[in-house]
């Protein structure tokens, strides 16, 4: 009898832990989007809407002459900014480029930092209250396409921070970017839950110098299609160039109709946490129907991402 009661207590404790986890995860199950995450909204000054740099150039005024003076700053291009619209997108017309500046007076490189603002007109530093999110927003990962062209051994970093209404951190994701990538790469990291809470605001930033690394003048980071969930990756199936999958409720084999995807096609299957659980590269023509064996996957929701260097498509399926 005592053994039965103790066993029952253990079962109740396990159920309580599971219920607690479900109550915490539940607020992250609806959709959420990044404001101007595709950078197609560009302002007249050629800066992407809602994205601004955090550097503020300091000036002083000569009390005698009234003239303004300060350090001489060399920016990478002809506009006084380290964050600007790029005409080298992964898709659409624009992406966002971040570069370092150079303080000529102090002989020091200034790392470029791009931050997401709720105010579409924000260009430079100021108080950033964060992007308001609904309590049921889906913020499960940080993902984006990027090209990185470092002038030295730079290590850039992308960060996502989710806080509650009191400003307490409840989750974060961080991605290091290093090495030379002349063509677009897709990268993502699932959010790490740090405290139980209800999401109220999120912050996204790209820093050209991870803490402890040394920035180089001339380094460039180009970013496109920033997302915080898989839903924003899933596009309409009405497009003639959209890959299709069947069945969507899978037992052993998942079939992919590339519908225009050709040559070196990358297939990646990700679980609900954003982890790649199966992948393959196939040299194929556009009419080839590709079959993946998913019999070893655990039951649950998965996403398959198909890319061929010019096109990108993500579909959702359920493993029985």
């Amino acid at each position: 009898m005592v053994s039965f009661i103790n066993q029952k207590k253990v079962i109740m404790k396990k159920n309580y832990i599971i219920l607690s986890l479900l109550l915490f995860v539940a607020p992250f199950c609806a959709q959420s989007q990044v404001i101007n995450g595709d950078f197609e909204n560009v302002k007249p000054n050629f800066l992407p809407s809602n994205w601004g740099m955090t550097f503020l150039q300091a000036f002083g005024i000569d009390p005698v002459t009234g003239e303004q003076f300060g350090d001489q700053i060399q920016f990478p291009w002809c506009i006084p900014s380290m964050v600007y619209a790029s005409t080298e997108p992964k898709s659409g017309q624009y992406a966002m480029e971040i570069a370092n500046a150079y303080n000529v007076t102090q002989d020091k490189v200034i790392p470029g930092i791009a931050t997401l603002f709720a105010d579409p007109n924000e260009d430079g530093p100021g108080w950033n209250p964060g992007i308001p999110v609904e309590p049921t927003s889906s913020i499960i990962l940080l993902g984006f396409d990027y090209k990185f062209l470092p002038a030295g051994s730079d290590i850039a970093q992308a960060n996502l921070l989710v806080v509650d209404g009191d400003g307490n951190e409840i989750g974060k994701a961080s991605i290091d970017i290093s090495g030379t990538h002349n063509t677009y790469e897709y990268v993502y990291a699932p959010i790490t839950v740090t405290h139980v809470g209800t999401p109220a605001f999120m912050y996204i930033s790209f820093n050209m110098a991870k803490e402890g690394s040394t920035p180089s003048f001339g380094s460039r980071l180009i970013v496109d299609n920033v997302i915080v969930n898989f839903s924003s990756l899933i596009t309409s199936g009405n497009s003639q160039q959209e890959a299709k999958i069947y069945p969507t409720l899978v037992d052993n084999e998942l079939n992919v109709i590339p519908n225009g995807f050709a040559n070196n096609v990358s297939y990646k299957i990700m679980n609900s946490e954003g982890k790649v659980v199966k992948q393959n590269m196939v040299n194929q023509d556009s009419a080839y129907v590709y079959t993946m064996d998913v019999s070893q996957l655990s039951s649950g929701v998965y996403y398959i991402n198909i890319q061929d260097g010019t096109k990108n498509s993500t579909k959702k399926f359920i493993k029985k």
Side-chain angles (χ1 to χ4, degrees), residues 256 261-269 278-284 290 292 304-309 311-313:
V256 183
F261 286 74
N263 301 319
N264 292 321
V265 182
S266 168
Y267 295 92
K268 292 181 180 180
I269 294 180
K278 189 178 181 67
Q279 61 182 320
N280 200 6
M281 179 78 75
V282 179
N283 194 342
Q284 63 182 55
Y290 181 62
M292 291 190 78
I304 180 167
N305 177 252
I306 307 113
Q307 296 189 47
D308 68 356
K311 295 181 291 298
N312 179 39
S313 179

Side-chain angles (χ1 to χ4, degrees), residues 14-62:
K14 287 183 178 179
N15 287 339
Y16 173 75
I17 293 172
I18 293 170
L19 178 60
S20 298
L21 288 172
L22 288 175
L23 287 173
F24 174 67
V25 173
F28 292 89
C29 293
Q31 292 189 13
S32 180
Q33 305 293 336
V34 178
I35 303 174
N36 198 28
D38 58 4
F39 308 106
E40 292 305 292
N41 187 3
V42 176
K43 293 178 287 190
N45 60 2
F46 210 61
L47 271 63
S49 175
N50 296 96
W51 294 85
M53 65 177 181
T54 59
F55 171 72
L56 179 63
Q57 187 172 359
F59 288 101
I61 298 178
D62 189 312

Side-chain angles (χ1 to χ4, degrees), residues 2 47 82 97 108 129 131 173 179 189 200 202 219 221 223 226-227 230 249 259 277 300 313 318:
V2 174
L47 271 63
M82 291 180 278
E97 182 164 337
K108 182 173 66 176
I131 306 300
M202 72 174 179
S219 294
L221 172 63
V223 179
V226 181
I227 56 104
F230 286 115
L249 182 60
N259 198 20
V277 294
S313 179
I318 299 173

Side-chain angles (χ1 to χ4, degrees), residues 234-266:
I234 301 172
T235 53
S236 170
N238 295 328
S239 170
Q240 293 301 311
Q241 292 299 313
E242 186 70 21
K244 295 177 173 60
I245 65 171
Y246 69 91
T248 53
L249 182 60
V250 190
D251 190 5
N252 295 312
E253 292 184 340
L254 177 70
N255 300 295
V256 183
I257 303 175
N259 198 20
F261 286 74
N263 301 319
N264 292 321
V265 182
S266 168

Side-chain angles (χ1 to χ4, degrees), residues 146 148 150 154-156 176-181:
Y146 76 96
F148 191 42
D154 301 43
I155 301 176
D176 289 353
I177 304 168
S178 61
T180 300
H181 299 273

Side-chain angles (χ1 to χ4, degrees), residues 84-306:
Y84 37 88
S86 168
T87 54
E88 301 177 38
K90 166 72 176 183
S91 58
Q93 289 185 295
Y94 299 103
M96 177 175 70
E97 182 164 337
I98 313 158
N100 299 323
Y102 178 60
N103 188 319
V104 178
T105 306
Q106 299 183 28
D107 187 24
K108 182 173 66 176
V109 176
I110 305 167
I113 303 176
T115 303
L116 177 63
F117 290 91
D119 183 355
N121 298 311
E122 188 68 56
D123 288 341
W127 180 61
N128 186 1
I131 306 300
V133 296
E134 294 295 327
T136 55
S137 293
S138 174
I139 306 173
I140 60 174
L141 59 83
L142 173 63
F144 53 89
D145 295 300
Y146 76 96
K147 292 198 292 186
F148 191 42
L149 305 166
S153 56
D154 301 43
I155 301 176
Q157 190 173 64
N159 293 289
L160 164 67
L161 176 67
V162 182
V163 302
D164 62 19
D166 295 323
N168 300 311
E169 176 187 303
I170 62 175
K172 62 183 178 181
S174 186
I175 299 173
D176 289 353
I177 304 168
S178 61
T180 300
H181 299 273
N182 292 296
T183 57
Y184 272 102
E185 302 280 346
Y186 176 70
V187 66
Y188 57 88
I191 190 168
T192 300
V193 176
T194 52
H195 293 91
V196 175
T198 302
F201 300 94
M202 72 174 179
Y203 300 83
I204 298 177
S205 63
F206 292 88
N207 192 330
M208 289 292 285
K210 178 186 176 181
E211 185 177 355
S213 67
T214 303
S216 304
F217 185 62
S219 294
R220 302 169 61 209
L221 172 63
I222 306 172
V223 179
D224 204 359
N225 304 315
V226 181
I227 56 104
V228 293
N229 60 32
F230 286 115
S231 300
S232 48
L233 280 175
I234 301 172
T235 53
S236 170
N238 295 328
S239 170
Q240 293 301 311
Q241 292 299 313
E242 186 70 21
K244 295 177 173 60
I245 65 171
Y246 69 91
T248 53
L249 182 60
V250 190
D251 190 5
N252 295 312
E253 292 184 340
L254 177 70
N255 300 295
V256 183
I257 303 175
N259 198 20
F261 286 74
N263 301 319
N264 292 321
V265 182
S266 168
Y267 295 92
K268 292 181 180 180
I269 294 180
M270 300 163 284
N271 62 18
S272 58
E273 295 179 347
K275 181 181 178 181
V276 176
V277 294
K278 189 178 181 67
Q279 61 182 320
N280 200 6
M281 179 78 75
V282 179
N283 194 342
Q284 63 182 55
D285 61 41
S286 60
Y288 180 75
V289 177
Y290 181 62
T291 300
M292 291 190 78
D293 180 7
V294 296
S295 60
Q296 300 302 312
L297 297 181
S298 301
S299 299
V301 176
Y302 293 88
Y303 299 83
I304 180 167
N305 177 252
I306 307 113

